[in-house]
Amino acid sequence: MISKRLQKLNPYKPGEQPNDRKYIKLNANENPYPASPKAAKAVKTVSNEKMGLYPDPESIDLKKAIAAMLNECNGVLVPADNQPQLPFSITEDMIFCGNGSDEVLSFVFYAFFDDDKPVIIPEHTYSFYPVYAGYYQIPLKKIPLNEDFSIDKETMVTTDSTGIIFANPNAPTGKSLSIDEIEQMLKSYPSDKVFVVDEAYADFSGHTVLPLLKKYSNLLVIRTFSKSMAFAGMRLGFAVGSPELINALTTTKNSFNHFPIDRICQAAGIAACADSAWYKKNCRKIMQTRDFFQSELQKAGWTVIPSQTNFILAGKKGKTGKEVYEAIKKEGILVRYFDIDTIRDYVRISIGTDKQMKQLLDIMKQL
Ligand SMILES: Cc1ncc(COP(=O)(O)O)c(C=O)c1O
């Protein structure tokens, strides 16, 4: 009854959502602040008549709004002083929208990676990539991280492959490669293979590789509204790249689901893009809370991997991640641990409000 294909699948496991009691959820890298009130207002503009009509399949107005926001904020909500200026204007034909960046990523695997050679990923990165490789039966090669948890750039680009994908900043390490380092990788990588940088957390790092799109037409950048734009419940993600790559994603979409972004999400997304001031403010707050929490934990004797994201990886000598997770859960806070060799001794903690992080700090200082 069940296909052989399905029997081989190993699905993604998201952070738990228990309902035995009310927890502070710091286990899914969600934004602790609400989405823009203007987005919430836009949701209510979709009338019941409009609900009966299919949405724009290409989300053109939404793509224009995303392009305008990226151009206005120089690629990321809070650009660092040394983030280069975008050397061109991003236009809507360079954008593809999907039902969460998870869907965009799924289309990326289908559209750009063949099964004759492996797709290259770092050993520790977003755990959905191996799931998609399994789903589309694309061989996968995981390149171990360096000892300091950074990505082994050279091996990534010199291994024979059908394509490359990694998150920058990476998850769950929270570490980034610089734009120059990624450009070095692109220079050494065949220009006829797609090089994908998943920038789900870029807004919290101050940096983006979007300026490199001018020189490298095989570069594809993936973004999500889920993290810095507090839209995890709306499901909206996008890719930015050359029109040729965007057209390939559109063909994939139109062979799978013509209308991935519903009317409500399109309206809310457009309003959210026009309210970048709201998100800049909250993004700054999260970055400040992260830096404070990180340094307090270090002072309390925890090992912390310096993070460029809205989460940190932290460990305490003599305790496994699972033990730390269980002790924190007893106190009503959820974090995440990974049953994987190199990071078994760490927990991943999403950055919440100052109040939530102070509460967690008190618990962690007792451990
Ligand atoms: C690196 C990375 N990419 C993509 C995603 C998917 O985000 P979404 O499907 O909510 O847009 C996540 C979610 O946690 C992530 O960590």
Side-chain angles (χ1 to χ4, degrees), residues 4 8 16 36 44 63 74 96 99 105 129 142 156 197 241 247 252 271-272 309 350 356:
K4 289 195 199 84
K8 281 194 237 149
E16 60 181 329
S36 154
K44 298 190 186 117
K63 288 179 181 177
N74 196 29
F96 173 84
N99 188 248
L105 289 165
Y129 307 150
K142 294 183 178 181
M156 293 275 296
V197 182
N247 285 340
T252 311
T309 61
S350 308
Q356 292 171 333

Side-chain angles (χ1 to χ4, degrees), residues 12 28-29 98-105 125-129 132 166-171 198-201 222-227 231-233 235-238 311 336 348:
Y12 176 73
N29 300 341
N99 188 248
S101 61
D102 278 341
E103 188 188 59
V104 180
L105 289 165
T125 189
Y126 184 37
S127 48
F128 224 135
Y129 307 150
Y132 289 131
F166 61 95
N168 196 61
N170 198 13
D198 178 351
E199 291 196 336
Y201 302 100
I222 312 296
R223 288 288 188 83
T224 177
F225 273 56
S226 294
K227 315 293 177 185
F231 251 42
R235 312 307 300 130
L236 184 56
F238 61 98
F311 60 84
R336 199 159 175 193
R348 192 196 69 188

Side-chain angles (χ1 to χ4, degrees), residues 7 14 17 24 45 68 73 80 86 115 127 129 135 145 150 155 167 189 193 200 216 264 270 314 332 335 361:
Q7 288 172 36
Q17 315 248 22
I24 296 178
T45 62
C73 68
L86 275 174
D115 58 6
S127 48
Y129 307 150
Y135 188 85
L145 296 181
S150 60
T155 314
Y189 196 65
K193 290 180 182 166
Y216 302 93
I264 296 174
I270 292 166
V335 297
L361 201 56

Side-chain angles (χ1 to χ4, degrees), residues 174-191:
K175 286 194 100 163
S176 280
L177 291 174
S178 69
I179 302 169
D180 289 346
E181 285 174 309
I182 294 181
E183 176 154 27
Q184 287 312 318
M185 289 174 80
L186 277 159
K187 277 185 184 154
S188 316
Y189 196 65
S191 59

Side-chain angles (χ1 to χ4, degrees), residues 304-353:
V304 179
I305 313 300
S307 168
Q308 304 273 302
T309 61
N310 67 338
F311 60 84
I312 64 157
L313 205 58
K316 182 85 179 180
K317 220 174 177 177
K319 289 199 186 296
T320 63
K322 186 163 187 262
E323 286 165 346
V324 173
Y325 151 84
E326 279 165 355
I328 295 174
K329 186 173 176 185
K330 263 197 217 135
E331 304 295 329
I333 301 184
L334 292 176
V335 297
R336 199 159 175 193
Y337 73 94
F338 299 90
D339 203 8
I340 307 173
D341 272 348
T342 354
I343 52 172
R344 183 161 284 131
D345 294 340
Y346 292 86
V347 283
R348 192 196 69 188
I349 304 165
S350 308
I351 302 299
T353 60

